[in-house]
């Protein structure tokens, strides 16, 4: 009987994964903040008895180092070193860098990076002694690219992936592997208004951007797949044998991962901008005006051509269309 530790098992992808792996014969250590309510829901979902030794709850608050240390000690005392650790717990937040407070960044990194790193470090001696184990990190589109309007979440997921890459190189000689799952859009609470911390000021300087991104985000929710689909893919990933593996889960995640691999960074920046409906570079700067195609071509020619040639081109235009030339402020 193999043992798996799943963080954030009270809801969403973690809940579906705990139920699926329990049904497949795993002993599940379901780590969550509210153990009683979470275990009751899992028992109702799986039909497990209250005293079933294959479904155990572990109290865990990743933002509290003392809670992380206590959870690690409890895991080792009740089940020994687990065969697999799934770092699934996560929070989401919408807001630009300018809008999100420092406290949100602290909580975001504690949940996605600091807490998982501390928990992993506490359990690694047991995994090394056993000479086996698989550590799975749940990433997302925000971990593949720095996504605008969710800057804190995206930064934390990116850090989580770099943590996983570093960890894989360190633990591979001891028989321990690392898998990163880049997850697309799934129908869980985290993609809803109730499951997201919102710091968006729709009346502020980024209001128009928020409105556009919000509309497109809600439209993207129509492709959200059920959490059970993710849970089945996770079950397969737990059988990975490579020292490091990275898989996309969902067609949208697969498309992003493939594009990011094939295109240069500057091109991907434009792809993300267009997909989210964001304005072009300098479009919203103070004091600027929108220049027409002919005017922009003229400015570009002035930059490239020798001054005598530029004067020969522009003087006739000044006599015919003097108002079409941009002012110095517009430059």
């Amino acid at each position: 009987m193999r043992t798996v530790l799943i963080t954030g098992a009270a809801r969403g992808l973690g809940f579906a994964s705990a139920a699926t792996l329990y049904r497949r014969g795993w002993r599940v250590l379901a780590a969550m903040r509210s153990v009683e309510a979470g275990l009751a829901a899992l028992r109702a979902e799986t039909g497990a008895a209250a005293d079933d030794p294959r479904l155990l709850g572990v109290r865990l608050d990743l933002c509290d180092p003392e809670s992380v240390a206590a959870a690690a000690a409890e895991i080792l005392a009740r089940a020994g070193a687990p065969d697999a650790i799934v770092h699934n717990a996560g929070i989401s937040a919408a807001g630009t860098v300018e809008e999100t407070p420092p406290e949100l960044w602290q909580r975001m990194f504690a949940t996605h990076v600091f807490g998982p790193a501390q928990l992993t470090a506490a359990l690694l001696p047991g995994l090394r002694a056993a000479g086996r184990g698989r550590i799975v990190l749940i990433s997302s589109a925000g971990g593949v690219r720095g996504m605008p309007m969710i800057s804190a979440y995206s930064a934390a997921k990116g850090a989580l992936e770099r943590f996983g890459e570093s960890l894989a190189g360190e633990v591979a000689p001891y028989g321990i592997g690392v898998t990163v799952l880049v997850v697309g859009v799934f129908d869980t609470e985290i993609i809803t208004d109730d499951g997201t911390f919102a710091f968006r000021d729709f009346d502020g300087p980024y209001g128009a951007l928020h409105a556009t991104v919000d509309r497109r985000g809600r439209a993207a929710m129509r492709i959200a797949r059920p959490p059970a689909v993710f849970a089945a893919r996770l079950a397969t990933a737990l059988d990975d044998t490579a020292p490091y593996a990275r898989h996309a889960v969902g067609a949208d995640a697969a498309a992003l991962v493939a594009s990011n691999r094939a295109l240069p960074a500057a091109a991907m920046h434009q792809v993300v901008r267009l997909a989210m409906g964001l304005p072009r570079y300098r479009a919203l700067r103070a004091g600027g005006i929108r220049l027409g195609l002919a005017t922009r071509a003229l400015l570009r020619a002035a930059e490239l051509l020798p001054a005598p040639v530029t004067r020969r081109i522009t003087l006739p235009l000044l006599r015919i269309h003097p108002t079409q030339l941009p002012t110095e402020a517009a430059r």
Side-chain angles (χ1 to χ4, degrees):
M1 181 174 58
R2 293 189 292 175
T3 300
V4 59
L5 167 67
I6 304 175
T7 66
R11 63 177 187 174
L13 301 182
F15 182 88
S17 299
T20 295
L21 293 175
Y22 173 85
R23 295 189 186 104
R24 296 192 180 197
W26 286 75
R27 175 168 56 176
V28 176
L29 304 175
M32 57 195 102
R33 288 195 299 267
S34 302
V35 175
E36 292 77 12
L39 266 183
L42 280 170
R43 288 167 182 155
E45 175 70 19
T46 61
D51 58 350
D52 191 332
R54 286 203 306 112
L55 184 58
L56 305 174
V58 178
R59 193 176 307 280
L60 174 65
D61 182 352
L62 289 168
C63 294
D64 181 359
E66 292 185 1
S67 174
V68 176
E74 180 182 353
I75 291 164
L76 293 173
R78 297 176 71 181
D83 297 272
I85 302 170
V86 180
H87 288 297
N88 163 79
I91 58 174
S92 67
T96 65
V97 172
E98 190 174 347
E99 294 169 322
T100 46
E103 296 78 13
L104 183 276
W105 287 81
Q106 290 286 345
R107 183 172 183 181
M108 190 68 69
F109 272 77
T111 302
H112 292 275
V113 184
F114 304 152
Q118 180 187 352
L119 182 60
T120 299
L123 297 177
L124 271 176
L127 272 64
R128 283 192 294 102
R132 48 95 183 117
R134 175 64 49 175
I135 300 170
V136 180
L137 310 178
I138 307 304
S139 183
S140 69
V144 178
R145 293 287 307 173
M147 294 295 178
M149 324 311 283
I150 54 168
S151 49
Y153 173 83
S154 193
K157 283 298 187 184
L160 178 69
E161 288 210 26
R162 302 296 83 75
F163 159 65
E165 292 167 358
S166 300
L167 178 66
E170 298 167 356
V171 301
Y174 301 96
I176 304 166
V178 175
T179 295
V180 173
L181 296 182
V182 180
V183 180
V185 180
F186 283 84
D187 188 11
T188 66
E189 185 185 22
I190 201 170
I191 67 171
T192 68
D193 291 334
D194 292 337
T196 299
F197 294 98
F199 296 92
R200 299 174 295 179
D201 183 1
F202 284 89
D203 296 321
Y206 301 97
L209 309 187
H210 284 311
T212 300
V213 172
D214 186 67
R215 286 194 301 272
R216 298 201 176 193
R218 293 180 188 280
M221 289 179 188
R222 292 197 294 264
I223 68 170
R225 306 186 73 187
V229 174
F230 165 82
R233 184 66 185 88
L234 170 63
T236 302
L238 291 177
D239 291 326
D240 281 344
T241 57
Y244 176 79
R246 186 170 183 257
H247 310 293
V249 186
D252 53 333
L256 177 62
V257 169
S259 299
N260 194 60
R261 186 182 299 119
L263 298 176
M268 277 304 299
H269 173 81
Q270 296 300 330
V271 168
V272 171
R273 180 184 71 80
L274 292 172
M276 300 184 75
L278 299 177
R280 59 179 174 79
Y281 181 51
R282 295 180 174 176
L284 300 181
R285 62 176 178 168
I289 62 172
R290 188 175 182 84
L291 302 178
L293 179 61
T295 303
R296 283 186 279 126
L298 185 61
L299 288 172
R300 184 59 176 165
E303 294 174 357
L304 300 176
L305 298 176
V309 177
T310 303
R311 282 196 296 271
R312 290 183 181 180
I313 296 174
T314 56
L315 287 176
L317 292 175
L318 280 169
R319 289 194 292 270
I320 300 172
H321 301 293
T323 60
Q324 289 186 0
L325 286 177
T327 64
E328 187 64 30
R331 292 175 182 268

